[in-house]
């Protein structure tokens, strides 16, 4: 063997080590997040809300289209199974979270669950609307003020869906956007001021739906200002996902819901 060959052999050798194994993500909820192709907010908001040492979030996307209509939202349910199949193996996620409030009002929870089952996973799925309904039940809330960013067709659909599930919208308002990625530019201060102006003495809580809103930073300020619970899309979805995964985690600055 030449000197050069010997040098090459040394250079190409790989040192092997015995790895010390731990529990990985055992002891933490692993959320398989399904966001919309137009959503640049949800992952940012959830990582602001959910400390990595307590909650693991792994995300993928489904295709959506603008302008936002009820018909477009109905198309989402067919994409859920495809999104879940991207989590391989199927046991990767303890729970799935479909990050669309209006879509989870238009599409039934049964249909979303069937999409997960069709992909071979037995994990539960939540979304902002089922999360919010569970939050209202836990908070003993039946009357709300609701501020949305949606066109009227979608806002009224949301009101009717809430009513069918035992929650009365006693006052409602909207920023009236039909391009969802433009909603991301609505400032948190504008959300606070508009929600405070919209609130009604009859309401027991304020609801800020839509995962296109940067609403997490508005929760604490609004609760202090109004003296009542504030429920947002990201907050309710995260809280319910953690609960469905079998955990109870209290987080600061996220309102009364995360202190229960």
């Amino acid at each position: 063997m030449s000197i050069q060959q010997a040098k090459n052999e040394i250079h190409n050798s790989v040192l092997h080590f015995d790895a010390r194994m731990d529990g990985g993500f055992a002891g933490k909820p692993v959320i398989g997040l399904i966001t919309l192709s137009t959503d640049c907010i949800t992952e940012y908001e959830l990582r602001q809300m959910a400390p990595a040492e307590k909650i693991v979030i792994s995300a993928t996307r489904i295709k959506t289209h603008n302008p936002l209509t009820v018909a477009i939202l109905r198309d989402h349910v067919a994409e859920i199974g495809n999104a879940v199949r991207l989590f391989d193996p199927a046991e990767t996620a303890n729970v799935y979270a479909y990050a669309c409030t209006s879509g989870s009002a238009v599409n039934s929870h049964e249909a979303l669950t069937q999409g997960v089952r069709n992909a071979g996973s037995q994990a539960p799925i939540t979304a902002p609307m089922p999360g919010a309904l569970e939050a209202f039940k836990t908070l003993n809330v039946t009357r709300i003020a609701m501020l949305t960013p949606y066109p009227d067709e979608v806002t009224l659909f949301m009101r009717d869906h809430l009513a069918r599930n035992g929650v009365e919208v006693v006052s409602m308002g909207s920023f009236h956007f039909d391009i969802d990625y433009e909603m991301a530019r609505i400032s948190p201060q504008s959300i606070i001021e508009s929600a405070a102006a919209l609130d009604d003495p009859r309401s027991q809580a304020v609801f800020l739906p839509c995962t296109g809103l940067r609403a997490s930073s508005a929760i604490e300020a609004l609760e202090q200002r109004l003296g009542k619970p504030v429920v947002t899309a990201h907050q309710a979805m995260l809280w319910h996902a953690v609960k469905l995964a079998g955990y109870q985690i209290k987080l600061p600055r996220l309102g009364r819901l995360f202190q229960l």
Side-chain angles (χ1 to χ4, degrees):
M1 180 185 296
S2 69
I3 294 176
Q4 186 59 48
Q5 287 175 323
K7 287 182 178 179
N8 288 341
E9 185 173 323
I10 293 171
H11 178 74
N12 290 328
S13 64
V14 178
L15 298 179
H16 292 180
F17 295 91
D18 292 328
R20 294 181 181 177
M21 309 295 283
D22 60 19
F25 291 145
K28 300 178 186 178
V30 179
I31 301 173
L33 177 64
I34 303 170
T35 66
L36 307 186
S37 57
T38 52
D39 182 356
C40 62
I41 293 296
T42 291
E43 288 155 287
Y44 169 81
E45 284 281 282
L46 290 182
R47 288 191 171 107
Q48 297 294 309
M49 301 166 75
E53 68 273 13
K54 292 185 178 181
I55 300 171
V56 179
I57 297 173
S58 181
T60 189
R61 291 176 178 263
I62 61 173
K63 185 65 178 175
T64 192
H65 302 277
N66 283 296
L68 181 66
T69 65
V70 170
I72 290 297
L73 293 167
R74 291 194 193 282
D75 290 340
H76 290 182
V77 71
E79 297 295 327
I80 294 298
N82 293 333
V84 171
R85 288 184 187 94
L86 296 176
F87 293 89
D88 193 10
E91 296 77 20
T92 296
N94 303 133
V95 60
Y96 289 97
Y98 160 53
C100 185
T101 316
S102 51
S104 59
V106 169
N107 298 301
S108 71
H109 187 254
E110 290 75 17
L112 297 175
T113 299
Q114 189 58 53
V116 176
R117 299 293 174 267
N118 291 344
S121 174
Q122 296 303 308
I125 186 170
T126 187
M129 184 53 77
L133 290 172
E134 185 66 21
F136 294 142
K137 180 180 177 181
T138 301
L139 292 164
N140 197 29
V141 165
T142 58
R143 300 184 306 278
I144 63 169
M146 180 175 71
L147 176 65
T148 86
Y150 305 130
D152 290 351
E153 175 198 22
V154 178
T155 297
L156 292 171
F157 190 99
M158 295 279 289
R159 177 203 62 186
D160 296 344
H161 180 80
L162 287 160
R164 288 192 295 271
N165 285 275
V167 180
E168 179 187 4
V169 179
V170 297
S171 63
M172 60 182 170
S174 173
F175 294 113
H176 203 261
F177 282 73
D178 63 1
I179 306 297
D180 47 7
Y181 52 79
E182 291 182 352
M183 300 170 188
R185 296 179 59 197
I186 300 172
S187 72
Q189 188 59 38
S190 181
I191 295 170
I192 292 170
E193 292 170 358
S194 300
L198 177 69
D199 188 38
D200 186 288
R202 297 170 294 170
S203 74
Q204 299 166 304
V206 172
F207 184 33
L208 303 173
C210 189
T211 52
L213 291 178
R214 290 176 287 147
S216 64
S217 60
I219 298 171
E220 189 173 35
L222 268 173
E223 286 201 346
Q224 291 177 356
R225 185 167 175 175
L226 301 177
K228 60 184 66 174
V230 172
V231 175
T232 78
H234 294 118
Q235 169 219 37
M237 180 178 70
L238 177 63
W239 171 80
H240 197 217
V242 169
K243 181 178 179 180
L244 288 176
Y247 293 81
Q248 184 176 12
I249 299 174
K250 293 185 178 183
L251 297 174
R253 299 181 298 281
L254 295 181
R256 297 186 194 179
L257 185 60
F258 263 103
Q259 297 306 310
L260 298 174

